[in-house]
Amino acid sequence: MALISAAVALTVVALHAQAVGSVRPQECGAIEGPQSGNVWERAKTPELRKYCDLLASGASKLAGFATMAHEVIAIANEADTLVPKHSAPAVLRGRAYAKLGRWLEAYKEMNEARIRDPRALDEPVALLTWARVTVRAGHADEGYIAYRTLLPRAAMLPLAERGPAYVEAGFVSMSRGPAGLDEAISVFRQARRDAQDTAQAVAILGLALALDRMGAREEARAVLLERQLANPWPTLSDARARQLLVGPGAERETDALAAIALDVSDPAKAKASWQKYADTAGSSPWVAHARARAHEPVKRIANVEKKPR
């Protein structure tokens, strides 16, 4: 019974650590690892223990409401003062600023963490934050590289973040134009498998849009008909859906996603959405595609039985 209880306790601790995305900083291992008997390590232990406790507390609070992010910034500052020049407090500040939507400050902090330690952002949750921050702070190419680096490790993300990470990466790839379509389609297919609820619905719309832009229109329709997403507005009006649209010009993708879904149910409204996208998407590489779709004759294409690949 004692062994079972211990196993359960360890599982709970592991799941909590996964949920908050906390990985013990390397310097915190010194107070519990093989070097803990070293005189120098013992001399540093009071400050180091408090430093490590502060980081653990801050990481835990990040799993709460965004209002707690201000408290996390203060905790990270205190840890940085207590044991200076380590990367973990800067990562923690960056994650807190990201939760507040303060992307430029988040970018500055996480970049500082990389300067302090090139491996500071290797942990998947930190790397996902870095990917989101770089794109939203206007560093699209850097963000694209971050998402590509993240995806092979995405299985290590908490379940609630795994699907959204794939969806976001799909839109970032698609924002690169025709050269990014193959990758976007592959990533959206994985997102459809791993995502849940709103994120899964957005993944399906993203996959259908990418296929349509590739020229595989019948397959795009089959993807939509499989999930019956003819009415896109309940999904696209959800604030969580808009958070998934990342990449240059991603805020305008809502009109293209609506258009691809409405093609199945209301071609006239689909044309209006394609035209709206063409008129407002600026320098998007997909303006010509949207304009061409907007000028097609209004007709309903027969439903297809072909299953998506």
Side-chain angles (χ1 to χ4, degrees), residues 110 121-132 146 149-150 153:
M110 300 196 86
L121 305 180
D122 282 0
E123 188 273 319
V125 170
L127 184 54
L128 174 58
T129 304
W130 173 243
R132 289 168 170 166
T149 305
L150 169 69
R153 313 176 200 175

Side-chain angles (χ1 to χ4, degrees), residues 138-270:
H139 302 273
D141 289 341
E142 200 170 9
Y144 170 70
I145 293 170
Y147 275 110
R148 290 198 74 183
T149 305
L150 169 69
L151 292 187
R153 313 176 200 175
M156 298 170 64
L157 288 169
L159 185 60
E161 293 282 29
R162 195 179 309 154
Y166 279 111
V167 176
E168 294 164 23
F171 283 109
V172 170
S173 293
M174 191 155 56
S175 72
R176 299 174 70 81
L181 269 185
D182 282 336
E183 185 174 54
I185 289 168
S186 176
V187 173
F188 280 131
R189 290 193 198 283
Q190 186 65 44
R192 183 176 56 172
R193 290 189 286 269
D194 283 10
Q196 300 175 331
D197 304 324
T198 298
Q200 186 181 60
V202 175
I204 290 168
L205 290 172
L207 175 58
L209 180 59
L211 288 167
D212 192 87
R213 286 169 169 172
M214 176 73 80
R217 191 177 303 185
E218 288 189 357
E219 188 175 0
R221 288 175 60 81
V223 167
L224 292 167
L225 291 168
E226 186 180 68
R227 177 64 184 269
Q228 297 297 312
L229 284 172
N231 177 13
W233 297 116
T235 294
L236 296 178
S237 61
D238 191 320
R240 290 171 296 177
R242 295 181 182 274
Q243 291 173 356
L244 299 171
L245 304 182
V246 298
E251 67 281 357
R252 296 266 38 99
E253 288 288 74
T254 300
D255 294 320
L257 293 169
I260 193 62
L262 290 168
D263 267 349
V264 174
S265 59
D266 194 330
K269 287 184 179 178

Side-chain angles (χ1 to χ4, degrees), residues 52-195:
C52 295
D53 288 345
L54 285 168
L55 293 178
S57 171
S60 179
K61 290 179 187 298
L62 278 177
F65 297 105
T67 51
M68 300 186 75
H70 292 286
E71 189 174 342
V72 173
I73 294 169
I75 288 171
N77 289 341
E78 184 178 354
D80 217 353
T81 301
L82 197 64
V83 182
K85 299 182 180 179
H86 285 289
S87 63
V91 172
L92 192 60
R93 274 194 299 271
R95 291 180 60 200
Y97 279 126
K99 192 154 191 174
L100 293 168
R102 292 163 63 174
W103 306 114
L104 294 178
E105 290 156 294
Y107 179 87
K108 178 182 177 182
E109 291 295 340
M110 300 196 86
N111 195 49
E112 173 62 25
R114 290 199 309 168
I115 293 170
R116 294 182 183 185
D117 179 359
R119 299 182 61 186
L121 305 180
D122 282 0
E123 188 273 319
V125 170
L127 184 54
L128 174 58
T129 304
W130 173 243
R132 289 168 170 166
V133 164
T134 51
V135 173
R136 288 182 167 94
H139 302 273
D141 289 341
E142 200 170 9
Y144 170 70
I145 293 170
Y147 275 110
R148 290 198 74 183
T149 305
L150 169 69
L151 292 187
R153 313 176 200 175
M156 298 170 64
L157 288 169
L159 185 60
E161 293 282 29
R162 195 179 309 154
Y166 279 111
V167 176
E168 294 164 23
F171 283 109
V172 170
S173 293
M174 191 155 56
S175 72
R176 299 174 70 81
L181 269 185
D182 282 336
E183 185 174 54
I185 289 168
S186 176
V187 173
F188 280 131
R189 290 193 198 283
Q190 186 65 44
R192 183 176 56 172
R193 290 189 286 269
D194 283 10

Side-chain angles (χ1 to χ4, degrees), residues 28-43 45 49:
C28 292
I31 61 175
E32 295 178 353
Q35 297 183 18
S36 59
N38 179 284
V39 173
W40 169 237
E41 294 300 338
R42 287 203 308 272
T45 293
R49 283 191 182 278

